[in-house]
Amino acid sequence: MELGRAGLAWAAALLLAALGAQAAAGDFDPYRVLGVGRSSSQADIKKAYKRLAREWHPDKNKDPGAEDKFIQISKAYELLSNEEKRANFDRYGDAGESQGYSQHQHRQFHHFHEGFYFDESFFHFPFNSERRDTSDEKYLLHFAHYVNEIVPDSFRKPYLIKITSDWCFSCIHIEPVWKEVAQELEALGVGIGVVHAGYERRLAHHLGAHSTPSLLGLINGKITFFHNAVIRENLRQFVENLLPGNLVEKITDKNYIRFLSNWKKENKPHVLLFDHMPVVPLLYKLTAFAYREYLAFGYVYVGLRGTEELSSQYNINVYTPTMMIFKENIDKPADVVQARDMKKQLIDDFLSQNKFLMVARLTNQRLFQELCPVKKSHRQRKHCVVLLTGEGDKFAEAYEAFLTFAVANTKDTLKFVHIYSDRQPEFADALLMDEEKYQGKSAVVILERRNNAGKVSYKALEEAWQGSKEDNFILLDLLDQLRTDPGLLSSETVLADLNDELAPMFLIRWLYSMLDYISDCWNSLFHSNWREMMPLLSLLFSALFILFGTVIVQAFSDSSDTRDSPPSEKEETSAKTEKNDASFSRESNRIPKKGFVEVTELTDINYNSNLVRLRPGHMNVVLILSNSTKTVLLQKFALEVYTFTGSSSLHFSFLSLDKHREWLEYLLEFAQDAAPIPNQYDKHFLERDYTGYVLALNGHKKYFCLFKPHRSGDEGGTLGACEDYDSSLHTEARGKPSCSPGSRSIKNKLHKLSFWMERLLEGSLQRFYIPSWPALD
């Protein structure tokens, strides 16, 4: 009950405030605000508005009353620019709305929200969405619809999107302006969208709209927020600013020939609009954006001095907007349309029928698919007559003859195109089969696409195309036969996709992307709220923290180094030794994972898994032994490599010399300087002793490191082999090693293997690369 009374009191307060605002309505004089007379023309009113708006814009004028003054100027211009509202004001002395309210009430009800101004009149209390104007319902967007349809469509036309919600007073304020502008821009070709943040929170968050109302533009998949007063002129200018600036070129007597002659370079028809407006109409800019991939657009202001020759050349009626389209012939337009009121539908119909040249050049796969569509039925057969030619004056005569033939034989079922053979060699080779009779000459091929995978049926003219009368008769006869006999195209082939000849270079695309990113950051810096700025600020502070943290750590490190006294030569040598020992202990002397060494035999069964398919960074250390030395060498090998078994990237194996001598000698041929292989005619060739050799094999990078056994005279210790083994190795051995002089000599072959392993882990050993691993059959 108390809640109901509170609500009634709140509504009553709003009603009293509204009555007060309406009582003050008589104080508002739009003519006085703009400083114009009651008989002023629309041009004078617009000129005065622009001058005052620049002077009192809150972003430029720091006067405390600039915001209120700017709102009054905007309201005055909105009233006087609408003839109906202006007539009501002149007749009754007010605009029919609460136009003028006192400064106190103005500050109470005026909202400055997220960078743009809401300056509509008093609330009418349609707070519930059910009582709202239903005109927005046809524009409502959902997340899936936005992602799948609106974003791709934004590459053909810009979108103006409003984010609104229930119980949003500012949303109610902008509704009259929004409704008027939405209807006007939609008729020009702008997409309109409305997002209800209460029901489509995911989409609102995706768009970056953290409050309502918000207005934004979408073009080429890129979002731009609106930050200005919500009036008709500002919204129109906002949409116009979304469009690229180079869509339409201003044409005069000095540059029209150059503009129209670019059809060959750009491979596009060129469109000229003649109108008496000093600026390019928004409708024409939107049309140029929609058809920019097919046509090039120019604008001629017929009231400008310097366009008389152009207007006379093409017999232009200066009082009626005229649109002309030029193709290969710049002296005469291919098509013309005139209308006092150029509507979007009229322009679309005119341009869609003239999107291509008479003999367009196939510069990419998309153009080929549009000009030569796939056959869907016998009634929808489309045939392409393709001229395969070259560039330069040598081929100009053949091309001109083909163009003349195409103009004289244009039909809905035929498309005439040409292609440069040197720019699309795969296309030309597939159709001409590299026949010598076409070398250095032009050729004509009639083809029909069968499917989207590139399959075509075709027939090439028997002789090269020279453009003679005989060539014309032969081609015309083939086309007549084709109408009654589709089987004439007897050859079939599969064409690869065409190269995109007009695509910009990677560096240019990267530069454009970089400029767009910098522009977005600049706009966000001045217009985004703190929530939108948080990712950028977080990245900035993180970079600064890392930078200063690194500098501080480096400074402390340098200062501590300078405080230390320089060591003596003996201490320096000792320090280096300790440093090497510490480095080795960190890298190689890891604690072994097991109390024994796993050494597997390398055979043809596990060869692929243990070598050929080793993971990157892993190595297999292989001991070469024979049946007679197997036990002794394995025990010594385990002793030397035991401290390195903690590394997960090392694997240990042994290879039988009795079984795989050929495999080993093939590898050693790549290390001739380290282990020379004797001549095969030498009588001691088969007696070469490779026992005790150790190879570290990197299967992924295809190289190996080689350890050669030491001779018995190189023995460096006084302990016997058995004593050395028993005192150093804490492993389990199945058999007791022999302590005979022969076993001692064999064990000494692996003397200093542990030092070689250290150098292996340091990466300082010589590497011997091989082209591929031989089979271990």
Side-chain angles (χ1 to χ4, degrees):
M1 195 67 179
E2 292 179 359
L3 184 61
R5 293 196 187 96
L8 290 174
W10 179 69
L14 288 176
L15 184 59
L16 290 174
L19 293 175
Q22 287 180 333
D27 298 334
F28 182 79
D29 185 358
Y31 293 104
R32 178 171 52 82
V33 172
L34 294 181
V36 296
R38 290 182 176 268
S39 59
S40 300
S41 64
Q42 286 292 335
D44 295 334
I45 292 172
K46 186 175 183 179
K47 184 177 180 181
Y49 163 72
K50 287 186 175 181
R51 177 177 56 81
L52 292 172
R54 283 195 297 267
E55 179 182 356
W56 290 98
H57 196 286
D59 291 344
K60 297 181 179 180
N61 196 320
K62 303 304 180 183
D63 190 288
E67 180 181 326
D68 296 331
K69 181 68 173 177
F70 182 80
I71 295 301
Q72 288 189 357
I73 293 169
S74 301
K75 288 176 64 63
Y77 177 72
E78 181 187 356
L79 190 153
L80 296 181
S81 61
N82 188 309
E83 292 295 345
E84 184 179 352
K85 291 183 179 180
R86 182 180 179 183
N88 287 336
F89 181 85
D90 293 339
R91 188 177 306 165
Y92 303 111
D94 64 277
E97 304 177 278
S98 57
Q99 292 291 345
Y101 22 96
S102 66
Q103 293 296 324
H104 173 73
Q105 291 163 337
H106 172 70
R107 294 189 184 96
Q108 179 179 359
F109 288 102
H110 166 68
H111 297 267
F112 179 76
H113 178 81
E114 296 297 329
F116 65 88
Y117 306 90
F118 303 103
D119 51 331
E120 284 302 307
S121 59
F122 176 67
F123 307 107
H124 300 290
F125 296 96
F127 300 129
N128 193 304
S129 61
E130 294 180 358
R131 299 181 58 187
R132 285 272 181 91
D133 190 349
T134 58
S135 60
D136 283 347
E137 291 183 0
K138 65 177 181 178
Y139 303 127
L140 287 176
L141 301 180
H142 306 285
F143 186 83
H145 175 62
Y146 171 82
V147 172
N148 298 326
E149 297 184 27
I150 301 300
V151 172
D153 198 40
S154 69
F155 289 84
R156 296 190 303 107
K157 65 180 180 182
Y159 273 80
L160 183 64
I161 300 175
K162 177 181 71 171
I163 292 89
T164 185
S165 64
D166 291 334
W167 297 93
C168 171
F169 299 111
S170 299
C171 300
I172 302 169
H173 278 190
I174 68 172
E175 276 189 2
V177 179
W178 166 260
K179 182 178 180 180
E180 178 185 357
V181 172
Q183 292 177 350
E184 178 184 358
L185 294 179
E186 187 180 24
L188 297 178
V190 178
I192 305 297
V194 176
V195 178
H196 197 293
Y199 303 109
E200 286 292 332
R201 292 185 180 181
R202 182 185 179 190
L203 178 54
H205 181 72
H206 175 77
L207 295 173
H210 304 294
S211 55
T212 56
S214 293
L215 296 178
L216 59 90
L218 174 70
I219 189 169
N220 291 332
K222 175 185 172 184
I223 296 171
T224 304
F225 276 85
F226 175 75
H227 306 280
N228 216 325
V230 184
I231 58 176
R232 173 179 172 272
E233 289 298 324
N234 289 344
L235 287 173
R236 279 179 59 94
Q237 190 63 44
F238 172 69
V239 171
E240 192 165 349
N241 290 340
L242 293 176
L243 299 169
N246 57 349
L247 287 173
V248 181
E249 185 177 349
K250 295 290 185 67
I251 304 300
T252 63
D253 293 341
K254 296 180 179 180
N255 63 352
Y256 81 96
I257 294 179
R258 175 193 58 77
F259 173 76
L260 296 178
S261 300
N262 277 340
W263 66 267
K264 193 168 188 178
K265 178 181 178 182
E266 299 176 6
N267 195 36
K268 297 177 180 179
H270 283 55
V271 184
L272 284 180
L273 175 65
F274 297 81
D275 203 350
H276 58 275
M277 299 292 292
V279 295
V280 182
L282 179 58
L283 172 61
Y284 195 54
K285 288 185 177 181
L286 292 168
T287 302
F289 179 75
Y291 290 91
R292 67 190 184 280
E293 294 183 358
Y294 300 96
L295 304 164
F297 291 83
Y299 180 75
V300 182
Y301 173 34
V302 294
L304 179 68
R305 179 180 298 177
T307 60
E308 296 87 353
E309 177 186 342
L310 184 56
S311 301
S312 175
Q313 170 79 13
Y314 300 113
N315 194 22
I316 300 299
N317 182 355
V318 297
Y319 301 104
T320 304
T322 304
M323 185 174 288
M324 291 183 172
I325 191 160
F326 294 83
K327 296 185 178 180
E328 285 87 348
N329 185 6
I330 67 172
D331 296 327
K332 181 181 179 181
D335 206 351
V336 181
V337 63
Q338 277 187 338
R340 289 192 176 275
D341 189 12
M342 284 278 189
K343 296 292 185 181
K344 180 180 183 301
Q345 188 61 47
L346 175 64
I347 296 177
D348 286 343
D349 292 342
F350 175 70
L351 296 181
S352 60
Q353 297 173 5
N354 294 282
K355 291 197 303 183
F356 305 106
L357 295 169
M358 297 301 297
V359 182
R361 180 161 63 92
L362 299 181
T363 56
N364 54 55
Q365 186 66 16
R366 176 191 58 80
L367 196 60
F368 180 43
Q369 291 173 349
E370 288 195 53
L371 288 170
C372 305
V374 176
K375 180 193 72 172
K376 296 182 179 179
S377 66
H378 291 287
R379 295 182 179 180
Q380 295 179 338
R381 286 184 177 274
K382 298 281 187 178
H383 296 104
C384 266
V385 184
V386 185
L387 172 69
L388 294 99
T389 185
E391 300 180 70
D393 297 336
K394 175 183 177 182
F395 302 93
E397 184 178 351
Y399 168 77
E400 292 295 337
F402 187 77
L403 175 61
T404 303
F405 182 90
V407 173
N409 295 276
T410 301
K411 296 178 182 178
D412 292 338
T413 57
L414 286 179
K415 289 292 183 182
F416 293 87
V417 297
H418 73 287
I419 195 168
Y420 288 155
S421 301
D422 54 343
R423 296 195 184 188
Q424 305 290 348
E426 294 182 0
F427 187 95
D429 293 345
L431 295 176
L432 301 180
M433 301 299 182
D434 290 330
E435 293 193 26
E436 295 183 359
K437 61 183 177 182
Y438 298 117
Q439 296 294 328
K441 299 180 181 179
S442 300
V444 173
V445 176
I446 306 172
L447 64 83
E448 180 183 44
R449 292 180 63 223
R450 292 298 178 89
N451 57 34
N452 290 319
K455 183 178 180 180
V456 297
S457 57
Y458 69 97
K459 181 176 180 58
L461 266 66
E462 296 294 336
E463 300 296 333
W465 173 269
Q466 297 178 354
S468 62
K469 291 184 178 180
E470 183 181 356
D471 290 340
N472 281 265
F473 288 140
I474 293 173
L475 179 56
L476 186 61
D477 183 54
L478 283 176
L479 294 177
D480 288 339
Q481 294 180 43
L482 190 61
R483 285 188 299 177
T484 57
D485 183 16
L488 185 66
L489 308 181
S490 55
S491 302
E492 290 188 349
T493 188
V494 177
L495 299 176
D497 289 350
L498 296 176
N499 304 320
D500 192 349
E501 300 176 15
L502 303 179
M505 298 174 59
F506 170 78
L507 183 61
I508 296 176
R509 295 199 303 268
W510 179 85
L511 181 62
Y512 286 158
S513 301
M514 197 66 186
L515 292 175
D516 290 341
Y517 178 76
I518 294 174
S519 176
D520 291 342
C521 292
W522 182 262
N523 292 332
S524 299
L525 185 63
F526 288 97
H527 297 298
S528 297
N529 56 33
W530 283 104
R531 184 180 298 181
E532 293 171 340
M533 290 293 292
M534 282 306 294
L536 183 61
L537 293 175
S538 175
L539 178 62
L540 179 62
F541 281 111
S542 299
L544 291 175
F545 177 79
I546 294 173
L547 177 63
F548 285 107
T550 305
V551 172
I552 292 172
V553 171
Q554 185 67 32
F556 276 105
S557 175
D558 293 343
S559 62
S560 63
D561 291 343
T562 56
R563 285 196 299 268
D564 295 338
S565 59
S568 62
E569 183 177 351
K570 184 176 181 180
E571 291 174 341
E572 186 175 356
T573 304
S574 176
K576 286 184 178 180
T577 305
E578 291 175 2
K579 183 177 181 181
N580 291 338
D581 292 342
S583 175
F584 170 70
S585 64
R586 286 194 304 269
E587 296 179 6
S588 59
N589 281 355
R590 299 183 179 93
I591 299 176
K593 299 179 180 179
K594 301 177 182 180
F596 59 94
V597 181
E598 287 186 3
V599 185
T600 59
E601 184 178 3
L602 196 63
T603 64
D604 55 347
I605 297 176
N606 60 11
Y607 180 72
N608 283 334
S609 59
N610 285 2
L611 175 59
V612 179
R613 297 177 183 172
L614 269 182
R615 287 177 293 175
H618 286 238
M619 299 188 74
N620 195 344
V621 181
V622 181
L623 169 66
I624 308 300
L625 50 76
S626 61
N627 291 335
S628 60
T629 61
K630 180 175 182 180
T631 303
V632 179
L633 283 180
L634 279 178
Q635 290 176 351
K636 182 62 175 176
F637 183 72
L639 169 67
E640 294 290 328
V641 303
Y642 176 73
T643 55
F644 301 92
T645 56
S647 174
S648 60
S649 61
L650 292 179
H651 309 272
F652 301 94
S653 304
F654 69 92
L655 183 76
S656 175
L657 187 62
D658 303 319
K659 300 178 183 178
H660 305 295
R661 175 180 287 270
E662 289 185 17
W663 181 88
L664 175 64
E665 289 180 343
Y666 173 83
L667 248 62
L668 293 180
E669 287 179 0
F670 295 92
Q672 285 282 2
D673 55 338
I677 305 299
N679 191 299
Q680 62 177 343
Y681 297 105
D682 190 347
K683 64 179 181 178
H684 302 293
F685 172 70
L686 297 177
E687 299 174 3
R688 176 77 174 182
D689 184 17
Y690 296 110
T691 57
Y693 277 51
V694 179
L695 287 79
L697 309 173
N698 189 315
H700 179 68
K701 293 189 176 180
K702 297 184 179 62
Y703 72 82
F704 65 93
C705 300
L706 177 64
F707 171 84
K708 289 176 60 180
H710 287 71
R711 297 187 299 274
S712 59
D714 295 332
E715 182 180 359
T718 57
L719 292 175
C722 296
E723 295 170 337
D724 186 18
Y725 175 81
D726 294 335
S727 62
S728 305
L729 182 62
H730 305 284
T731 60
E732 298 178 4
R734 295 191 176 184
K736 190 172 182 179
S738 171
C739 296
S740 64
S743 65
R744 182 192 299 261
S745 175
I746 293 172
K747 282 190 175 184
N748 285 338
K749 288 190 173 187
L750 298 181
H751 183 57
K752 295 184 180 180
L753 176 62
S754 59
F755 296 103
W756 181 83
M757 290 290 297
E758 291 177 18
R759 295 181 59 196
L760 174 67
L761 294 180
E762 292 172 358
S764 59
L765 291 175
Q766 184 180 3
R767 298 177 179 180
F768 305 101
Y769 288 86
I770 64 172
S772 62
W773 294 112
L776 196 68
D777 298 335

